[in-house]
Amino acid sequence: MKVGLLKDIKDGEFRTIMTPNEAAELVSLGAEVYVETGAGEGASFEDADYVKAGAKIAKDMKEIYSTCDFVTKVKELEECEFDLLREGQIIFTCLHPAASKDEVDVLLKSKVIAFTAEDTHRYGSPNCEIAGKLGLLKGAEHLLRTNGGSGQLICGAGGAPAANILIIGAGLAGTGALQLAYGLGANITVMDINVKILRDLIERYPGINTMISNSANIKALMPNLDIIVNCVKWPKHRKDHLVTREMLSMMKKGSVIVDVSADVGGAIETYHHTTHENPTFVVDGIVHYGVDNIPGAASKTTSIAYAASVIEHFKSIVQNGVKEACRLNGYLRRSMTSYMGVLTHEETSAIQGREWVTPEEILGLEEGTYSIAPKATSTSSKPTTCKK
């Protein structure tokens, strides 16, 4: 199998999904690995490093798409890639398909076999952990007066109190933010809907406050908050918000909201996407940090962790083919977005009102013969019968 690594071209994206170490692993399995020139530079991996690993350097994305059976990168497809997709080609990247109608149209029209990487993680994506940690650091940075904030130092000082931090959601991103905030000496409240998780956090981080996550509890805290870090992945079918624009008037001017989940129309009503070059905007005196690829700022660390988390999927596809790899691993199977012109992604079906077929049916897998993984989201849609 010919495996191609693309250079990510999204503005402000420096990560790669495959370091030279993973390239070497695939080469050892008999795969031909092609790397677009400069694909690893943003994460401090040079073309020469990939050549030493046994890969071949391709001059551009067109060569990757025309040569390779399996094409991968970090972020969603850009419009300039749409016409390069080939029938039967395997695509593995963070497609975010439910929010990308045009992209899904192209995946179906081109009849590729597409996997959305964010749904493949058994233990959560390392991108989430790093996004939570960096999100907290960016919140502390923009709380400084020189960056548009109130001038509050997150750790305080002798005679001056530390910042009051609210972390909403205690998953992988939320606990990442908590680790940094705790180490920096902030006054911390963590909210979640799972009381057991909150009890466990109290034991691990003595002195923090915990509350059940809802708008009423958030409102009660808002007048004294300096930073809100949202780590809740808001269901895309919901039209309500945890923090509304009206609620911003309750916060102190110069306070900061960081939406790690980067959901437009999600938990934070006033959120919209920004870039690393222009990361913040102000609404009603509240600084919003809106970068939607926060982990890209720590591109080397993130790339090493991220590549290690997906390489087993790559190896299985190379060794076993798509059908068997999906049979053996439910987390890979649940991430299948499209298969030869058929939508196979439930959340996308529900959000976009499209018919879909389960990956199990499209692959012809018999019940009881394949591994099981939990659903990636709570969004549901009734599947249709395969018309192959």
Side-chain angles (χ1 to χ4, degrees):
M1 183 178 288
K2 296 178 179 179
V3 180
L5 173 64
L6 291 166
K7 179 178 181 178
D8 272 85
I9 56 176
K10 180 172 181 172
D11 184 29
E13 184 53 69
F14 306 106
R15 292 171 290 176
T16 182
I17 200 171
M18 186 192 305
T19 77
N21 284 347
E22 287 73 37
E25 287 194 62
L26 294 179
V27 170
S28 72
L29 296 176
E32 293 182 56
V33 178
Y34 292 78
V35 176
E36 183 181 351
T37 184
E41 286 181 355
S44 299
F45 300 109
E46 304 297 330
D47 288 353
D49 299 325
Y50 288 99
V51 172
K52 289 178 183 178
K56 303 172 184 178
I57 302 301
K59 63 181 179 181
D60 55 28
M61 72 169 65
K62 290 182 179 180
E63 184 177 348
I64 293 288
Y65 276 111
S66 65
T67 302
C68 297
D69 312 298
F70 181 132
V71 177
T72 187
K73 64 171 187 169
V74 175
K75 294 300 288 181
E76 61 272 8
L77 300 180
E78 301 285 342
E79 189 173 348
C80 61
E81 299 172 75
F82 288 177
D83 292 337
L84 301 178
L85 303 177
R86 295 185 289 109
E87 183 174 340
Q89 197 167 47
I90 302 165
I91 306 296
F92 187 105
T93 188
C94 288
L95 293 165
H96 304 295
S100 308
K101 184 179 184 302
D102 291 345
E103 183 183 42
V104 174
D105 288 340
V106 171
L107 295 175
L108 297 176
K109 181 180 178 181
S110 62
K111 296 185 177 181
V112 297
I113 302 170
F115 295 91
T116 186
E118 63 270 23
D119 288 348
T120 65
H121 301 285
R122 182 184 298 270
Y123 304 110
S125 171
N127 289 296
C128 295
E129 176 189 356
I130 294 169
K133 291 177 177 179
L134 277 176
L136 186 282
L137 291 177
K138 291 298 182 179
E141 176 184 348
H142 290 282
L143 193 58
L144 301 177
R145 191 67 177 179
T146 49
N147 293 319
S150 65
Q152 170 70 48
L153 182 62
I154 188 169
C155 56
N164 294 315
I165 313 295
L166 171 62
I167 299 170
I168 309 174
L172 199 55
T175 54
L178 172 57
Q179 287 174 5
L180 267 291
Y182 194 80
L184 291 170
N187 295 319
I188 307 163
T189 300
V190 181
M191 288 188 180
D192 200 272
I193 59 174
N194 187 322
V195 71
K196 182 181 185 305
I197 289 175
L198 297 178
R199 288 171 181 156
D200 291 343
L201 290 178
I202 290 173
E203 291 185 9
R204 291 168 56 193
Y205 302 96
I208 68 168
N209 299 304
T210 62
M211 299 177 74
I212 295 298
S213 180
N214 57 51
S215 288
N217 281 338
I218 294 171
K219 286 179 180 179
L221 297 182
M222 288 185 84
N224 295 314
L225 290 177
D226 296 295
I227 302 176
I228 295 176
V229 182
N230 174 58
C231 300
V232 174
K233 185 178 180 181
W234 203 242
K236 291 181 174 59
H237 65 276
R238 290 187 61 164
K239 303 303 180 184
D240 58 334
H241 316 281
L242 277 176
V243 177
T244 66
R245 177 162 188 168
E246 182 182 5
M247 291 165 65
L248 297 187
S249 63
M250 304 173 68
M251 295 186 75
K252 299 174 290 186
K253 303 300 182 185
S255 299
V256 179
I257 295 177
V258 179
D259 193 346
V260 172
S261 294
D263 290 325
V264 175
I268 309 297
E269 182 179 14
T270 46
Y271 172 82
H272 66 74
H273 294 164
T274 63
T275 66
H276 289 292
E277 289 74 21
N278 297 288
T280 62
F281 58 94
V282 178
V283 178
D284 298 341
I286 308 304
V287 179
H288 291 59
Y289 182 87
V291 176
D292 62 353
N293 60 332
I294 295 175
S299 55
K300 183 174 183 178
T301 298
T302 306
S303 295
I304 292 171
Y306 189 33
S309 75
V310 297
I311 185 59
E312 293 305 317
H313 294 313
F314 292 6
K315 289 164 63 176
S316 185
I317 290 172
V318 166
Q319 291 179 293
N320 303 311
V322 166
K323 179 177 178 178
E324 182 65 3
C326 286
R327 186 187 73 80
L328 292 170
N329 193 309
Y331 290 87
L332 177 64
R333 191 174 65 252
R334 76 180 187 182
S335 77
M336 181 183 282
T337 302
S338 66
Y339 186 90
M340 303 295 289
V342 178
L343 181 68
T344 54
H345 196 256
E346 183 174 8
E347 183 185 38
T348 300
S349 166
I351 299 302
Q352 297 182 13
R354 300 176 187 259
E355 291 188 350
W356 76 293
V357 174
T358 67
E360 293 80 11
E361 182 169 356
I362 199 74
L363 293 171
L365 301 178
E366 296 183 8
E367 188 173 354
T369 66
Y370 48 82
S371 69
I372 302 295
K375 288 177 58 173
T377 74
S378 60
T379 306
S380 61
S381 177
K382 185 177 180 181
T384 57
T385 302
C386 181
K387 301 176 182 179
K388 287 201 304 178

